């Protein structure tokens, strides 16, 4: 762990993922930067089943609403929003791994963070792409402190976390249960309350996840990630790693 106070950057594939997966942590770290990767609308307005499931008629309407929700939720934590110019997979224009990796590296250096939190990429294909890009970066940015967070909704699916841990080991990355150091913090009950209030702001996403909403306030789980040898030697894809969940 860095000897200085952690300056956090959380990588959030979509609007809300950082709050859903790390909201209690955000409540203890004002001024955390939250970088939403797939934050851009498609060039031409389109209608998708995923957006319709969340109550939207068009993609542009969906992105405007989600950005407003995200602004309001992050403001509750005094978090700093960063938005990247990439479109998620439902709009049929995802970035290449190399393009995303380069952009993430630039965003990380621009944030001045010394502690990075990346999604484990457990189920959704967009999450998996962010995970792969982070694994490309981790060996050459090993002077920073890295954590993986288990994404809400997907972390409870049988075998997904275990498969991802095997994948990390194959890349030369050791995952150890841990979380960023907390020196001055809210008590756990107040952390959960703060997270609950922020989660409720994402009305459009909660509409589509109604059946699994109980997972949102389950204890958050983090893994300290350290490189033991040259990464990238082997990749293990679980049975659901490349699948896409029905909503953003």
């Amino acid at each position: 762990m860095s000897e200085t106070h952690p300056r956090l950057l959380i990588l959030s594939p979509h609007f809300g993922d950082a709050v859903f997966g790390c909201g209690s942590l955000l409540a203890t770290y004002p001024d955390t930067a939250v970088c939403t990767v797939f934050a851009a609308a498609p060039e031409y307005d389109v209608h998708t089943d995923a957006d319709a499931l969340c109550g939207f008629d068009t993609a542009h309407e969906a992105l405007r609403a989600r950005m407003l929700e995200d602004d309001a939720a992050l403001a509750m934590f005094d978090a700093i929003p960063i938005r990247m110019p990439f479109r998620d997979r439902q709009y049929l224009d995802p970035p290449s791994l190399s393009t995303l990796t380069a952009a993430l590296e630039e965003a990380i250096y621009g944030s001045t963070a010394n502690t990075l939190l990346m999604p484990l990429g457990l189920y959704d294909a967009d999450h998996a792409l962010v995970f792969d890009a982070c694994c490309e970066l981790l060996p050459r940015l090993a002077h920073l402190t890295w954590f993986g967070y288990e994404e809400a909704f997907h972390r409870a699916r049988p075998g997904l976390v275990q498969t991802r841990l095997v994948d990390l080991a194959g890349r030369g990355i050791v995952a150890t249960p841990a979380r960023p150091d907390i020196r001055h913090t809210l008590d756990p009950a107040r952390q959960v309350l703060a997270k609950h209030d922020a989660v409720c702001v994402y009305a459009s996403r909660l509409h589509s996840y109604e059946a699994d909403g109980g997972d949102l306030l389950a204890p958050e789980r983090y893994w300290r990630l350290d490189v033991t040898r040259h990464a990238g030697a082997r990749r293990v894809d679980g049975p659901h790693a490349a699948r896409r969940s029905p909503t953003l």
Side-chain angles (χ1 to χ4, degrees):
M1 181 68 63
S2 170
E3 294 180 358
T4 61
H5 187 68
R7 299 186 303 277
L8 271 58
L9 171 64
I10 302 177
L11 300 177
S12 182
H14 306 112
F15 292 116
D17 288 325
V19 173
F20 294 167
C22 310
S24 293
L25 187 67
L26 277 165
T28 71
Y29 276 102
D31 299 322
T32 291
V34 174
C35 178
T36 303
V37 176
F38 301 103
E43 182 177 0
Y44 302 103
D45 212 356
V46 295
H47 174 88
T48 68
D49 291 341
D51 286 337
L53 188 61
C54 296
F56 300 112
D57 292 327
T58 69
H60 289 182
E61 177 191 2
L63 266 294
R64 285 193 297 268
R66 290 187 178 119
M67 189 174 295
L68 289 174
E69 291 174 347
D70 198 55
D71 285 341
L74 295 183
M76 297 171 72
F77 298 117
D78 292 324
I80 302 166
I82 301 170
R83 275 73 186 257
M84 302 191 78
F86 299 119
R87 304 178 181 100
D88 73 41
R89 197 168 298 266
Q90 71 163 323
Y91 302 130
L92 307 179
D93 187 27
S96 67
L97 177 59
S98 60
T99 296
L100 180 57
T101 301
L104 284 176
E105 185 169 17
E106 183 177 351
I108 289 168
Y109 277 118
S111 74
T112 71
N114 59 15
T115 303
L116 284 298
L117 287 95
M118 56 180 268
L120 288 184
L122 296 177
Y123 186 79
D124 182 285
D126 290 329
H127 288 230
L129 181 59
V130 175
F131 169 84
D132 286 335
C134 289
C135 287
E136 293 287 322
L137 288 172
L138 202 159
R140 62 177 182 261
L141 299 182
H143 61 287
L144 303 175
T145 302
W146 289 79
F147 291 88
Y149 66 89
E150 298 180 14
E151 296 103 306
F153 306 116
H154 309 315
R155 60 191 172 189
R157 294 178 182 270
L160 292 190
V161 173
Q162 291 85 348
T163 298
R164 186 55 85 201
L165 297 180
V166 172
D167 180 4
L168 284 164
R171 299 172 190 249
I173 300 172
V174 172
T176 305
R179 63 179 288 153
D181 180 41
I182 297 178
R183 298 174 183 173
H184 304 288
T185 183
L186 299 174
D187 64 77
R190 291 177 65 192
Q191 291 178 32
V192 173
L193 180 60
K195 178 176 181 176
H196 172 272
D197 291 345
V199 163
C200 289
V201 173
Y202 295 97
S204 64
R205 290 197 63 180
L206 295 179
H207 180 268
S208 64
Y209 279 127
E210 184 176 356
D212 299 318
D215 179 68
L216 281 169
L217 299 182
E220 297 169 1
R221 293 194 296 267
Y222 301 90
W223 299 83
R224 169 71 184 258
L225 304 177
D226 295 288
V227 177
T228 58
R229 58 178 172 79
H230 181 66
R234 184 167 65 92
R235 172 178 171 177
V236 178
D237 287 326
H240 306 297
R243 293 180 59 184
R244 175 172 178 87
S245 58
T247 63
L248 285 176

